[in-house]
Every structure is written in structure tokens, then in C-alpha cells.
Amino acid sequence: MILHTLEHTYKYECEKICRIYFPAEKIVFACDNGVLTADSKEVFTKIEEISDSFVFSCKAVIDGKEDSFSFSCEKEGNETDSQKERLLAKAIVKVLTSLTGIVPPWGILTGVRPAKLMRNYINTEGEERAREIFTSFLEVTPEKTALAAEVAGYENTCIAMSGKNSFSLYVSIPFCPTRCSYCSFVSHSIDKAKKLIPDYIKNLCLEIEETGKLCNELGLVLETVYIGGGTPTSFSADALFAITSALNKNFDMDNIKEFTVEAGRPDTVDEEKLRVLKNAGVTRISINPQTFSDSVLEAIGRRHTAEDTVEKFYLARKTGFDNINMDLIAGLPHDSFEGFRESLDKACELSPENITVHTLALKRAADIVTGNEADSVCRETEKMVCYASKKLTECGYHPYYMYRQSKSVGNLENVGWCKKDKPCLYNIYMMEEIHTVLAVGAAAVTKLKDETSLERVYNFKYPYEYISRFSEIIEKKDAVRKFCLRT
């Protein structure tokens, strides 16, 4: 596909809208004043300033069919880039929906945090007006509008629990037994990176110590802890003991509301590790099947069976964990609507406190679907997500947080569902950027938040770099101090 962006600079937004309709297409940009080569799919976008108005237009030629649409808006003098992007997106959606018959459930929205946008509108305009903006201006379907409003309402109750000077702590363990075929996170297989692990744990514990000292100095109040990755339970019981001991030694853990550890891969979980975590004060864990189909598990590179997941779930219950999350992924390769339905039904039968339904995010669309297969995969995935919403509601779960990833199948969402009073607070605080999140470990990103600004501090991405340049990691802590002490 050739994408023409005439007299505007909103290339990225135009590309994201086009990818909703053509997830498997390679999209290239034409020069503003010409065409690179002929193509069966071309989209022309343009913003013109005429007298006191902006004119937003789109023309597309898709496999021999052509359509166009344009509209004008009176200039107000304070138009933001975001507003102009959305108005141009409306023209693109109008044309591509006409040519393809595809109606995007999230309308012109392509951002990561639709619930945050809804929450902002509710807090400033009221819920009725917020819903109207979503359906009328943003062209979101009534079903997705209702989902965003429900999530926003739940988030508001949890956000009110966050106190003054509060923060969350993220501990990064970017190691896994193997790398799943769909994964886009920074993660390294234990087998290949084994020699790095002792030094990684040593440095991680040192960073935890330095961060704890800094928090005590600044009077920060720890509310939630999340050890994620990767798969933290890829580490041995002794390593997990060392890391959790460092946390308990260097932070005031007496008043935290939640302590989560991802035990995501059932093949990494055993009774000894679970007892270490339970004795360390961990209150919530994730045991993630992704699917309960053994053939799909094999296709995506997971070294466990569906029965392993069930066994480890009951082992966690036996060990005393009464707050367990399970992840499922809609749209996995070789899965079907029937297979996903069976997986979700099985998860509901186990009755964990949280079930998170992710939509597959395509690293490269052609890895999984090509050509005409893309549309059918998107439609099948949309059926899965719709079924999940209906089934989980019937089983007493509530949607409590939501986000979207770039290149997710069908431009769909990831939703965390919880039983009554069992949300993961860390997920809300982190995703909605409610308070500061301090992060330790390789690939960890600290988010410094106050009432008016948000700043990020990035740790080195790869474990070998984290180890070899560790002195610089400690130096980066000064950015936290400066942010918190500024007037």
C-alpha cells in the first residue's frame, strides 16, 4: 500500500488508521509531490487551509474500487495536533469503511489508553456527554463506549485509594525458559543467558537497596510492588528468596496494598518457589495458560500442557494464594473461536480472582497472516473478545483496566477482569499514570509523576549492559531525587 500525506505531517496516525483495515499490508509513504510506484492500494490524505477553514480529505483506490470524502471545519485559532489528527482520521475511516465494509469498533481511536480518555471526559464533561463524544465524534461503537465507561468508573474508585507521596515499585526479571513466538517484550532464554544470572541478581539487589534508601530519604510511601518480566519464576527458589529479601529489608512493606509476582509459565512453578513467595509477603500471582489447547501451546513455543496449568493453579491455592490472575490471548496462531471459547470457559471454571484477556499483537503481520487471511483472523478475534466480555460478565467479573498495543489484531483491546474488590491496583496506577512508578532491573522504565508533569528514566535494556554499566544505573537515581525535590 502507498500512503500519501499531502500538506500535513501526521504520517504515523494515518498509518495506524490504515493498518486497522489492512494489518498484513506493507505500508510505504509516497513523496508529498508524487507517486513512488503503482500499487493496487493507494490512500491519499490531505489537510488544506482555505480562508477561515481547514479542509480534511481522503481518497483511496483499493483493488480497482475508488472512493473519496472531504469536509471542512471553521478555524478557531487554537487547534491542537491531536484535534487535527482525529479530524483527518474521520475522513480516512469514512472512505476505508466504505471500500472494505469493515467498521472499526474503536472508531478513529488508535491510542493506548481509551479508558483514560473516557475518564478524563467523564471527570470534566460528565458521563452522559463523555459517552456522546465517544460515539458521535470518535465513532466508537456503543459496546466499546460502554466498556470504556465501565473501566473508567472502576478506575476512579481505585485511584481514590492512592495517597499523597505514594508510589509503586516494578522489579524487572527479563528472563524466560523459552521465547514465545508472539512475544515482543525484552526477554532472554534462561539457557542462553544462564551465565549472566548471578551477576544480574547481585546488581538487582544492590539497585533495590539504593532505591530503598532514596525513597526513605524522600519520604515516599510504597503502595504496590510488581515483580514482572519475562518470567520471574524462571529463577530458582534461592534467587527469588534473595530478591524478595532485598525488598523486605530495604522498603517499608507493612502498609502496601498489593504485592504481585508473575509466575506466568506453569513449567517454572513448583511448591518450593510458591512457598518462598508466600513467606515473603506476596499477595497476588499470575499463572498464565494463554490457552488451554495443547496444540496451540505447542505452536506458540510453550513447554507446558493445559493440564500443567491446572495442576499449578491448584498447587498455588494449596500454598495459600487467594488472589490469582490468569492470562488468555485472543487471536493466537492455530487457535479458533471454538478453541478460545473452551479456554475461557475452563478459566472461568477454575475461578481465579483475575482473568486478563489480551488481543494478540502482531510483531510483523506477515509472520501469522498474509493477504486475504488478515481480515478473517481479525473478525475471528473480534468474536473471541466479544464472547469473553459476555461470558466474564455472566460469571461475576468486572472490567477494571484496559489498554491497547500497537498492531493488535483488529485494533482490539486488552482488558483485565476481576471479581468484586479484587483489581490489580498496580495495573491501574501504571497504565493510567496515576502516581510515580520506580523501576529496577534491565529494561525497567521509571515514571516520575506529579500533578503537572510526567518524566521517564530508562534503565539499560539488555542484562549484559545492565551489568557492565551498573554504576550508571545508580547515577540515574539522581533524576528521581531532583524530580521529587524540585519546587
Side-chain angles (χ1 to χ4, degrees), residues 2-42:
I2 297 175
L3 178 55
H4 303 257
T5 54
L6 307 173
E7 299 183 36
H8 68 84
T9 58
Y10 307 128
K11 293 183 177 181
Y12 183 55
E13 185 67 17
C14 291
E15 180 185 9
K16 288 195 292 183
I17 292 290
C18 290
R19 203 168 291 286
I20 296 171
Y21 296 87
F22 306 104
E25 288 285 334
K26 179 180 180 181
I27 298 176
V28 297
F29 291 97
C31 300
D32 285 354
N33 298 314
V35 180
L36 295 177
T37 57
D39 194 278
S40 62
K41 296 180 178 65
E42 290 193 65

Side-chain angles (χ1 to χ4, degrees), residues 15 136 146 227 325 404 473:
E15 180 185 9
S136 299
I227 304 180
N325 172 72
R404 298 195 300 163
I473 294 289

